[in-house]
Amino acid sequence: MALKVELKPGERIIVGDCVITNDNQRTRLFIEGRAPILREKDIFTADTADTPAKRVYFAVQLMYLDGNVDKHSDQFLELSRDYMQAAPSSASIIERINNKILTGDLYKALREAKALISHEEERLNHAKRGGSGLWPDDTTDGSTPGS
């Protein structure tokens, strides 16, 4: 079964090791095969990976696009360990990312890494509102209290 992707005018997508840029009208693509695929909104560069969680995501993205987990695993492990030490409540999210990597499901690992970015944004927003940077009863399962 083919993957259907609709692209907005000017939107880019990575398919395998190619970047495809849409022209000036909406386009629908049907993609068959096993190449890694990332939409522009899900792509980070070394420059746009400007927070700890985004750097973890970027390391997983490199694994996914490159198809070589070993080449990027040291970077991922170091970044995720550092993040978890700074925010212990992220442990379950990082564990889910790691488990997806270990089972070879790198696209789902990327989806979990998106959850880590959301976790980071929640923590930063809490700190901006005058909190301690962590939820008052910070959980260790990655969930927010009261949810």
Side-chain angles (χ1 to χ4, degrees):
M1 182 171 187
L3 172 68
K4 180 175 82 170
V5 177
E6 292 194 28
L7 298 175
K8 298 174 190 169
E11 186 176 5
R12 297 183 312 167
I13 187 171
I14 294 177
V15 178
D17 60 0
C18 298
V19 177
I20 299 169
T21 303
N22 191 21
D23 200 3
N24 59 359
Q25 59 186 338
R26 286 186 84 76
T27 302
R28 181 178 301 145
L29 301 173
F30 294 91
I31 303 170
E32 295 186 49
R34 300 189 57 84
I37 300 168
L38 274 182
R39 297 180 72 99
E40 184 172 14
K41 66 181 178 133
D42 297 321
I43 299 169
F44 282 95
T45 64
D47 291 334
T48 60
D50 55 1
T51 70
K54 288 177 183 177
R55 286 190 279 278
V56 170
Y57 180 97
F58 184 63
V60 177
Q61 175 187 294
L62 291 174
M63 290 178 192
Y64 175 64
L65 292 175
D66 193 18
N68 187 342
V69 172
D70 293 338
K71 183 176 176 181
H72 306 286
S73 63
D74 288 343
Q75 178 187 20
F76 165 75
L77 291 171
E78 180 182 341
L79 291 167
S80 60
R81 182 188 65 241
D82 291 348
Y83 188 91
M84 199 166 34
Q85 286 175 346
S89 61
S90 67
S92 67
I93 301 170
I94 290 177
E95 181 179 349
R96 290 193 308 264
I97 297 168
N98 195 46
N99 286 341
K100 297 298 181 189
I101 291 169
L102 291 173
T103 60
D105 200 342
L106 298 175
Y107 184 76
K108 287 186 179 175
L110 271 177
R111 309 252 327 163
E112 294 294 345
K114 278 278 193 177
L116 188 67
I117 293 170
S118 294
H119 174 272
E120 179 180 58
E121 289 170 353
E122 290 170 3
R123 296 307 186 249
L124 291 172
N125 287 335
H126 178 70
K128 286 178 186 175
R129 289 189 309 268
S132 65
L134 298 175
W135 294 98
D137 57 339
D138 196 49
T139 62
T140 56
D141 67 356
S143 64
T144 55
S147 60

